[in-house]
């Protein structure tokens, strides 16, 4: 292959990779931390899973450690129907939301206190099985959600929207197998950049045309 063509291919590939990465990135969970409980004593921390790795699975003793994990689900979706939540006010149809999943999966009974902050106001938190199931259309990721009937929180758990910071939740989880899972719904996330398949298709088409042009110039 001629050097000019190789350089053009490398440049195009780099551009495609950068644009693809930008199109699939999320920045909706800003930070989080563990502030107390046995998990803190054991060195646990908050982990923001972004990007979500291939084969990522939750709900079936997948982690068995002292960490709390958070990841983004569907982003900036206008609700077709109203959603009931367990913390906050029920969310009416027509409201735009970003969805996030929080998971604590220790190997044995552990408790953890902590917080998570988002880049937009928290509208509601879902902690019960029936309401999680009713909002599963927002779990639009490649994550495998196992044990769907063992989700939510129990009587010893609690989660709230911070009274002084509408973008922050505070939690206390006490869990063992298969762990605790909640869903947090925030307002429109300015940091979320959804993947645009039409734009990706146009990009690929433009790349092909660019390569064809390079080949014609090299043959001339």
């Amino acid at each position: 292959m001629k050097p000019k063509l190789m350089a053009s291919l490398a440049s195009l590939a780099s551009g495609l990779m950068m644009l693809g990465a930008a199109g699939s990135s999320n920045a909706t969970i800003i930070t989080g931390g563990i502030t107390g409980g046995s998990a803190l004593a054991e060195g646990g921390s908050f982990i923001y899973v972004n990007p979500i790795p291939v084969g990522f699975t939750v709900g079936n003793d997948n982690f068995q450690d002292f960490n709390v994990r958070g990841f983004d689900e569907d982003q900036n979706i206008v609700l077709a129907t109203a959603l009931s939540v367990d913390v906050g006010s029920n969310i009416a149809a027509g409201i735009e939301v970003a969805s996030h999943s929080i998971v604590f999966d220790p190997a044995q009974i552990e408790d953890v206190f902590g917080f998570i902050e988002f880049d937009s106001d928290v509208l509601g938190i879902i902690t019960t099985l029936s309401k999680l199931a009713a909002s599963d259309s927002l779990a639009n990721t490649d994550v495998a959600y196992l044990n769907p009937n063992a989700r939510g929180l129990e009587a010893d758990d609690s989660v709230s929207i911070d009274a002084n910071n509408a973008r922050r939740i505070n939690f206390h989880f006490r869990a063992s197998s298969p762990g605790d899972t909640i869903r947090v719904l925030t307002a429109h996330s300015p940091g979320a950049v959804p993947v645009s398949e039409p734009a990706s298709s146009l990009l690929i088409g433009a790349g092909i045309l660019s390569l064809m042009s390079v080949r014609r110039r090299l043959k001339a």
Side-chain angles (χ1 to χ4, degrees):
M1 186 177 295
K2 296 183 179 181
K4 288 185 179 180
L5 181 56
M6 291 178 65
S8 298
L9 284 169
S11 176
L12 178 61
S14 177
L16 288 170
M17 289 176 65
M18 291 176 64
L19 287 170
S24 60
S25 65
N26 291 324
T28 53
I29 294 177
I30 299 302
T31 188
I34 291 179
T35 58
S38 60
L40 177 64
E42 295 290 348
S45 62
F46 174 72
I47 298 174
Y48 178 28
V49 183
N50 181 38
I52 297 173
V54 175
F56 189 68
T57 304
V58 299
N60 191 30
D61 298 332
N62 308 96
F63 305 116
Q64 301 288 274
D65 59 23
F66 303 101
N67 301 313
V68 174
R69 289 172 172 81
F71 59 91
D72 300 316
E73 297 181 315
D74 228 348
Q75 302 294 294
N76 299 341
I77 301 300
V78 177
L79 295 178
T81 59
L83 277 183
S84 295
V85 300
D86 298 292
V87 178
S89 300
N90 292 339
I91 306 173
I95 299 297
E96 187 177 25
V97 302
S99 183
H100 322 274
S101 185
I102 311 300
V103 180
F104 179 50
D105 175 24
Q108 57 189 14
I109 296 178
E110 304 286 350
D111 71 326
V112 60
F113 294 83
F115 70 94
I116 302 171
E117 290 188 12
F118 304 84
D119 71 349
S120 57
D121 290 354
V122 178
L123 301 179
I125 307 171
I126 299 178
T127 66
T128 55
L129 177 60
S130 60
K131 293 175 183 177
L132 284 167
S135 61
D136 275 346
S137 61
L138 295 172
N140 185 22
T141 67
D142 292 329
V143 176
Y145 298 79
L146 306 179
N147 284 334
N149 293 324
R151 298 179 294 168
L153 301 183
E154 295 78 38
D156 292 336
D157 304 315
S158 64
V159 61
S160 62
I161 303 172
D162 193 288
N164 298 312
N165 184 352
R167 298 185 174 191
R168 170 174 169 146
I169 67 169
N170 301 308
F171 60 79
H172 171 220
F173 300 147
R174 180 176 174 82
S176 56
S177 176
D180 286 338
T181 302
I182 64 172
R183 176 166 291 133
V184 180
L185 302 176
T186 64
H188 171 90
S189 170
V193 184
V195 175
S196 174
E197 291 184 0
S200 299
S201 298
L202 289 173
L203 180 63
I204 293 171
I208 293 172
L209 290 174
S210 177
L211 287 177
M212 291 174 65
S213 176
V214 169
R215 292 186 65 182
R216 284 197 296 268
R217 288 200 302 272
L218 289 175
K219 288 181 178 179

